Amino acid sequence: MDCRAFTFRQLPHQSKLFLDYLDHFERVKAFYAHPPKMQALALASRKLNYPTERRAEVVRLLREQNAALGAGAETQANLERFERGAIAVVTGQQVGLFSGPAYAIYKALTAVQIAEELTIAGTPAVPVFWMATEDHDLEEVRHATWFDQGKLIRFELPVATAEPGRPVGGIPLGAQIEPLAREAAEVLSNQGSDLLAQFLTESYRSNETYGSAFGKLFTRLFAQHGLILMDPLDPGLHQIAAPLYQHALAERDALNEKLLQRGKELDRAGYDAQVKVTSRSTLLFYTGGGVRQVVTASADKFQAGEKSWTRDELVHLTHTEPEKFSPNALLRSVVQDYLLPTTAYVGGPAEISYFAQSEVVYRHLLGRMPVMLPRSGFTLVDAKAAKLLRKYNLTVEDVWAGSQDLRHKMEGASVPKALAKSFERDQKQIQKLLARLGKQIAKLDPTLGDTVERAQKRIAFHLEKLRRKAGKAQDRKSGLISSHEQYLESLLYPHKTLQSRELCLLPLLARWGAGGLSELQKLSTGRKIGHHFILQLP
């Protein structure tokens, strides 16, 4: 299989903070506890302080959750290893429709691979996937973009009037999901995988929620990989996390001051803070009447929507009704790593960037922080796209460069062969002629050298422009360039973003066959941390 590896620095739209974290850790070490290296995992493991009684209670709840999702023998075996003292390699994502963007699966595969490598090296580890069911951004999860037959298909569920503001994991899919799932399953069957089609229709049914359907699909996809799924909406997990909520409230003023200071430090270092923090910020949401609302602070009160409390009243409420509280973006990972013996967290570029702020919360509330490892990334190239790239003498990077440059290159490569040979022959002759003429003029007057060079560049520019116009004229006759451009951009740079951030993996996986996930997992090795792979599908 044709495979090329890229660093994240070679990809479009990457933040400065994330790139420095990967390539120049010394510039950002004040914002992170560990460098993004496999060797750092041993130090993080030694700093773990995870009570035996908490482990036992979390394992009990995870057994119940994963059994309800249909987990098989491999996951049950990992839960037993977890119970016996294994550490956790954790990742997570929102519970997107039909598995969401491809990078959700890539995160899980990276966690599975890192856990396997740690175990083989003598440190028992298990992969855990935190389903972001408490998130209330329904717009993020209610649609999915698929690539099929050269075009983008958008599957989308409507929004009911009672749904905005509710934690997405508990929102029912309703009857409208079943025709949508059947349509998506037909695409998978047509692409060659009745098994994936079956997984989809068995998982996405009218009686399921966004959280349970996502969990059941992931359970089926990763049955052989032993992935442990974790649903934070579980009231039992809130009960375990209640002391951390109380600590976050008791220390709210000190934490807020540290977060405001961290924002200034990031700004001075030339980086952007990912999460806005104000003088009224807290780290918690409160869910009342089914709606999740941010908790804000004033001089002597805390408030969420129309409700308000004194600090003592709110702390008491975390004792009696902890399930009504949930963490914001900066506390969420700390709650996760309070509940789990996390040595490594596998995240995307934006996540790893906002951990630069979360570090002060980790240090203040937990006293430890896991190693942040970037997920592996992939751009999958199907047979037709590979043929088109060869036809126009293009690379995937040319597609990433944008429509205008891509179109120019495609037009330039579309000149009829006989005319193209004439262009190449005549351009070489003109270059030789200009070079000879330039030498003669330089001898006559050396100050005219720059003028000659500018003339050469103008002539070369106009010749190339003429070549593109010839290609455009050829395209008007055949009408192919536009359709080929659409195919390449839809697959390789959909909506001007990386394939893994926009497209669902399932249709591409259906073409690849049963071994696709395992092949991706092998490439997600700790030896290639921080890489993005361009793969040609078999």
Side-chain angles (χ1 to χ4, degrees):
M1 181 185 302
D2 185 26
C3 175
R4 289 191 294 147
F6 287 71
T7 64
F8 276 91
R9 192 169 289 277
Q10 295 171 282
L11 306 181
H13 313 311
Q14 303 301 313
S15 76
K16 178 185 175 185
L17 177 56
F18 174 66
L19 293 176
D20 281 353
Y21 176 72
L22 293 183
D23 300 336
H24 302 287
F25 184 73
E26 69 280 0
R27 297 177 185 172
V28 300
K29 64 181 180 180
F31 309 134
Y32 296 90
H34 309 280
K37 306 289 184 184
M38 288 293 288
Q39 301 91 310
L41 296 177
L43 178 60
S45 299
R46 287 197 295 271
K47 288 188 175 182
L48 274 175
N49 179 18
Y50 188 63
T52 303
E53 60 275 14
R54 191 184 305 162
R55 182 185 293 271
E57 187 60 16
V58 169
V59 168
R60 181 184 69 79
L61 294 171
L62 290 179
R63 277 205 174 100
E64 292 175 1
Q65 289 186 11
N66 284 268
L69 296 173
E74 293 295 329
T75 298
Q76 296 301 333
N78 270 344
L79 282 165
E80 289 174 9
R81 294 172 58 241
F82 182 22
E83 187 173 33
R84 293 196 301 268
I87 60 174
V89 177
V90 184
T91 191
Q93 187 57 37
Q94 288 140 313
V95 288
L97 182 67
F98 300 155
S99 79
Y103 67 76
I105 292 177
Y106 299 156
K107 282 181 167 184
L109 288 170
T110 307
V112 168
Q113 181 63 25
I114 297 299
E116 283 191 10
E117 291 180 12
L118 285 172
T119 301
I120 291 170
T123 301
V126 296
V128 181
F129 190 97
W130 176 284
M131 299 190 297
T133 50
E134 291 185 312
D135 191 281
H136 59 275
D137 190 351
L138 182 58
E139 194 56 37
E140 282 282 319
V141 301
R142 70 182 185 89
H143 59 84
T145 304
W146 287 30
F147 178 82
D148 181 50
Q149 297 182 359
K151 296 180 180 179
L152 298 179
I153 305 172
R154 183 180 173 93
F155 294 108
E156 184 173 348
L157 281 173
V159 179
T161 54
E163 288 171 357
R166 295 178 59 189
V168 297
I171 295 176
L173 297 175
Q176 61 267 31
I177 189 59
E178 299 204 354
L180 210 61
R182 285 195 296 271
E183 183 183 349
E186 185 178 353
V187 172
L188 297 176
S189 292
N190 291 339
Q191 296 284 15
S193 182
D194 290 335
L195 181 61
L196 282 180
Q198 179 185 338
F199 285 174
L200 194 76
T201 54
E202 287 177 349
S203 302
Y204 281 84
R205 292 177 169 167
S206 59
N207 60 331
E208 302 291 349
T209 64
Y210 278 93
S212 66
F214 181 96
K216 289 182 176 181
L217 178 58
F218 257 52
T219 296
R220 288 170 167 84
L221 287 173
F222 290 94
Q224 304 305 312
H225 301 265
L227 184 67
I228 298 169
L229 294 173
M230 190 169 192
D231 183 354
L233 276 176
D234 191 320
L237 291 176
H238 282 270
Q239 190 68 47
I240 298 171
L244 194 66
Y245 300 158
Q246 293 148 21
H247 196 184
L249 285 171
E251 297 292 312
R252 180 264 163 193
D253 297 343
L255 282 166
N256 203 60
E257 183 59 35
K258 288 184 176 184
L259 285 168
L260 290 169
Q261 180 61 30
R262 175 53 52 92
K264 294 175 183 176
E265 292 166 355
L266 286 166
D267 184 63
R268 283 197 297 269
Y271 305 118
D272 295 323
Q274 300 294 299
V275 180
K276 184 179 180 181
V277 179
T278 71
S279 61
R280 298 195 63 199
S281 296
T282 75
L283 295 170
L284 291 172
F285 283 91
Y286 175 79
T287 303
V291 177
R292 189 172 184 244
Q293 296 174 311
V294 65
V295 177
T296 58
S298 59
D300 57 353
K301 291 282 186 179
F302 288 87
Q303 187 170 351
E306 298 299 318
K307 291 182 177 292
S308 64
W309 312 268
T310 65
R311 188 188 301 264
D312 288 343
E313 288 171 341
L314 195 59
V315 169
H316 178 70
L317 204 57
T318 63
H319 281 278
T320 57
E321 300 179 284
E323 69 280 0
K324 290 189 175 180
F325 292 87
S326 58
N328 77 348
L330 296 176
L331 182 63
R332 188 211 61 77
S333 56
V334 183
V335 172
Q336 161 198 287
D337 299 331
Y338 176 86
L339 293 170
L340 294 166
T342 310
T343 295
Y345 182 80
V346 175
E351 283 178 292
I352 288 176
S353 294
Y354 72 63
F355 274 112
Q357 291 171 269
S358 293
E359 187 269 344
V360 300
V361 185
Y362 270 102
R363 188 155 28 91
H364 195 93
L365 295 181
L366 203 56
R368 60 177 169 89
M369 186 179 187
V371 180
M372 305 300 164
L373 297 177
R375 59 166 172 79
S376 293
F378 300 93
T379 295
L380 305 183
V381 183
D382 68 10
K384 180 174 179 179
K387 183 177 179 180
L388 291 175
L389 292 174
R390 289 193 298 271
K391 172 182 172 70
Y392 294 103
N393 194 29
L394 298 169
T395 64
V396 173
E397 302 96 284
D398 291 322
V399 183
W400 291 342
S403 299
Q404 186 174 10
D405 287 348
L406 177 63
R407 185 69 178 217
H408 284 170
K409 289 186 177 182
M410 294 178 77
E411 288 170 353
S414 297
V415 177
K417 287 185 178 179
L419 183 56
K421 287 182 179 179
S422 296
F423 262 113
E424 290 172 11
R425 182 185 65 246
D426 294 345
Q427 277 181 303
K428 288 178 181 177
Q429 290 177 350
I430 291 171
Q431 286 171 355
K432 288 180 181 178
L433 177 64
L434 289 172
R436 187 167 62 249
L437 188 60
K439 288 179 181 178
Q440 293 172 352
I441 293 173
K443 285 181 181 178
L444 181 65
D445 184 351
T447 64
L448 294 175
D450 289 344
T451 304
V452 171
E453 186 178 348
R454 287 196 297 272
Q456 288 173 329
K457 288 181 178 178
R458 281 198 299 271
I459 292 169
F461 170 78
H462 286 295
L463 282 172
E464 183 56 34
K465 187 175 180 181
L466 185 61
R467 182 188 183 102
R468 290 201 309 268
K469 285 187 174 181
K472 192 179 293 187
Q474 174 69 11
D475 182 48
R476 282 197 294 269
K477 289 184 177 181
S478 62
L480 286 177
I481 289 181
S482 293
S483 64
H484 290 169
E485 180 187 12
Q486 181 187 17
Y487 193 100
L488 289 173
E489 290 191 324
S490 295
L491 176 61
L492 304 177
Y493 204 43
H495 299 146
K496 302 292 185 281
T497 190
L498 290 175
Q499 180 192 90
S500 57
R501 294 197 59 80
E502 183 70 18
L503 298 186
C504 176
L505 183 62
L506 297 184
L508 297 170
L509 204 57
R511 292 200 218 178
W512 196 341
L517 281 182
S518 295
E519 289 296 320
L520 293 174
Q521 182 192 329
K522 290 175 188 174
L523 288 170
S524 302
T525 172
R527 297 187 300 276
K528 286 286 188 179
I529 284 295
H531 280 77
H532 184 101
F533 300 91
I534 295 179
L535 287 175
Q536 184 175 330
L537 295 178

